[in-house]
Amino acid sequence: MKSLFLSLLLLFATMSYAVTPQSIIGGDIDITDGKCVTYWKTLIVSTPSNAFPSVYAQSSNTIYIAYIRSGDNLIEIIKTTDGGTSWSSTVISSAAGDSHSEVALDSPDGGKTLYVLYQSYISATSTYDIILAKSLDGGSTWTESILDTSTQYYWGSALNVPKSTNKIFILFNKFPSPSLKLIHSTDAGNTFSTPVTVYTGSSQTIKEHGIASIDGDTLYIPFLPVSNNCISGSGTMCIAKSVDGGVTFTYISLGLTTWAMNNVQCYLANNSLLYFIGDSYWLMFNKYDGTFTQTKITTDSPLQADIAGYGNSNIYISRRANVSPYVLDYIESLDGGTSFTHTTLDPNSSSSTSIFALSDKSIFITYIQPPNLKLAYTKCGI
């Protein structure tokens, strides 16, 4: 009898199950080979739908989400240390002043030091600022640095903070006259370089774009220029690559002439292997390791997507699909992009999505479902 009981216990402990997307709110769904369970939490209420949340996880229990509350011009960060049971909040800035500001969140040391990138609008002068906020105490207190000021709107700012380095990379583009620029710091944000021009265009073509570095020296920036090659000419997808920490760049033309993308996000597996995604009439998955391959992984156009990964083969994608209603999808590849599995996490989402992965393959996805800011996460290795 004891042997039978243990056998049944083992069976239930290892059983894989699935539920319909409609029933996972407040419940769970098995999405990763029966090893990880996604729990859905409603974190806060009455959040504007254009809050642009960005997620970072120190562990399966300690999670940060930064976002803009455009209704009252606040940049806020919330934190949990118990896996989402309770949350505390800190206002980083009460003067964001821009309802369309992307927010980026990153850390080089597992959450001890946090960086939040956003833009503000100063109505008195009709100018925009790119601002980097920094916390040295896990998000309790913040200092801010104004990195650039312009009369043009900043479209698609991006942040990369290589782990265990003092380097920070900030990439931004100005609208309506594109000028893709990079600012970097080599001393953990105490000082910053003058902006380095990565690309200058003549119309609204470069929108969101990716930036990735592991060691702070080798840096990749995939983007779409307005011209025929990476320096001048029309519609060719390009990668700007630097091996000196963003001081100088070489340009790799990928030869795409029909992909007009609105959103680019990337994951650098190692210094020679870059994965990035972007939307056209469908979601495109791209791999560059000296040669370039591209895979169409959806049959409809995404409105926004994000990518994370672990090692050379594990790729995780969150996507807000351009169908009515706007569903939130999770897409996974465990073989470096050879094959993909798709799971609908929420049949009715809105606004942008952000994804983050830990080394134990735990995955965290944040997004907006008005009026709520939500977090979906898989807990693995625990």
Side-chain angles (χ1 to χ4, degrees):
M1 181 64 68
K2 182 176 181 181
S3 176
L4 176 61
F5 173 76
L6 291 175
S7 298
L8 289 173
L9 184 63
L10 180 61
L11 173 63
F12 282 109
T14 58
M15 184 178 293
S16 175
Y17 58 93
V19 297
T20 60
Q22 287 79 4
S23 67
I24 64 179
I25 304 301
D28 50 47
I29 180 172
D30 184 347
I31 62 174
T32 312
D33 297 339
K35 299 175 184 177
C36 305
V37 177
T38 299
Y39 298 94
W40 289 66
K41 303 284 186 181
T42 299
L43 307 183
I44 56 177
V45 297
S46 301
T47 301
S49 61
N50 54 356
F52 293 103
S54 182
V55 62
Y56 175 85
Q58 179 179 341
S59 67
S60 293
N61 287 322
T62 302
I63 309 161
Y64 301 86
I65 303 174
Y67 59 92
I68 183 171
R69 281 171 39 181
S70 60
D72 46 17
N73 299 332
L74 296 181
I75 299 292
E76 191 168 43
I77 189 166
I78 57 176
K79 175 183 179 180
T80 179
T81 58
D82 54 17
T85 301
S86 61
W87 295 80
S88 60
S89 64
T90 301
V91 173
I92 298 174
S93 173
S94 58
D98 179 23
S99 61
H100 299 286
S101 176
E102 292 93 345
V103 177
L105 168 65
D106 205 353
S107 173
D109 54 15
K112 297 176 183 177
T113 305
L114 294 166
Y115 295 96
V116 172
L117 181 70
Y118 69 96
Q119 69 169 300
S120 67
Y121 175 68
I122 299 89
S123 58
T125 56
S126 298
T127 56
Y128 297 90
D129 290 335
I130 285 284
I131 296 177
L132 184 70
K134 176 181 179 180
S135 174
L136 296 175
D137 54 13
S140 297
T141 60
W142 295 82
T143 58
E144 294 184 326
S145 300
I146 298 176
L147 306 180
D148 194 70
T149 299
S150 176
T151 57
Q152 295 189 75
Y153 178 77
Y154 294 97
W155 188 299
S157 51
L159 172 68
N160 178 259
V161 185
K163 303 300 178 282
S164 303
T165 74
N166 288 320
K167 296 185 178 182
I168 306 168
F169 298 103
I170 298 100
L171 185 68
F172 60 86
N173 176 42
K174 295 181 180 180
F175 171 84
S177 299
S179 180
L180 190 60
K181 293 183 179 294
L182 177 74
I183 294 175
H184 68 270
S185 174
T186 59
D187 56 11
N190 294 319
T191 61
F192 294 91
S193 70
T194 56
V196 174
T197 299
V198 180
Y199 178 83
T200 299
S202 58
S203 65
Q204 180 204 344
T205 301
I206 310 168
K207 295 184 179 179
E208 295 186 42
H209 36 259
I211 181 170
S213 178
I214 295 175
D215 59 10
D217 295 320
T218 301
L219 179 69
Y220 290 87
I221 300 174
F223 70 99
L224 182 74
V226 293
S227 40
N228 280 334
N229 55 58
C230 294
I231 305 299
S232 61
S234 181
T236 299
M237 185 67 196
C238 298
I239 296 175
K241 180 180 179 181
S242 176
V243 294
D244 55 14
V247 178
T248 61
F249 288 92
T250 57
Y251 296 86
I252 305 163
S253 176
L254 303 182
L256 300 177
T257 58
T258 58
W259 180 23
M261 65 183 170
N262 292 320
N263 171 42
V264 178
Q265 302 294 335
C266 51
Y267 163 64
L268 187 61
N270 60 61
N271 280 343
S272 301
L273 177 57
L274 175 70
Y275 297 105
F276 62 98
I277 55 174
D279 63 76
S280 179
Y281 297 104
W282 37 75
L283 184 64
M284 307 301 295
F285 174 80
N286 308 276
K287 176 181 178 180
Y288 180 78
D289 57 2
T291 60
F292 175 71
T293 57
Q294 184 179 82
T295 305
K296 180 173 71 173
I297 58 176
T298 68
T299 56
D300 56 65
S301 170
L303 287 179
Q304 196 268 339
D306 196 16
I307 186 172
Y310 175 70
N312 293 340
S313 300
N314 288 23
I315 309 299
Y316 316 114
I317 297 169
S318 61
R319 179 187 81 118
R320 177 193 174 200
N322 190 12
V323 296
S324 183
Y326 296 137
V327 301
L328 180 75
D329 287 341
Y330 170 74
I331 304 171
E332 178 182 83
S333 175
L334 302 179
D335 53 17
T338 301
S339 61
F340 293 88
T341 58
H342 297 243
T343 301
T344 296
L345 293 183
D346 198 315
N348 188 16
S349 68
S350 179
S351 190
S352 57
T353 176
S354 170
I355 189 169
F356 186 84
L358 288 171
S359 59
D360 66 2
K361 303 179 185 178
S362 297
I363 305 160
F364 306 84
I365 298 173
T366 185
Y367 70 102
I368 301 295
Q369 185 192 64
N372 300 320
L373 170 64
K374 288 191 170 183
L375 174 71
Y377 58 87
T378 66
K379 285 191 173 184
C380 305
I382 59 174

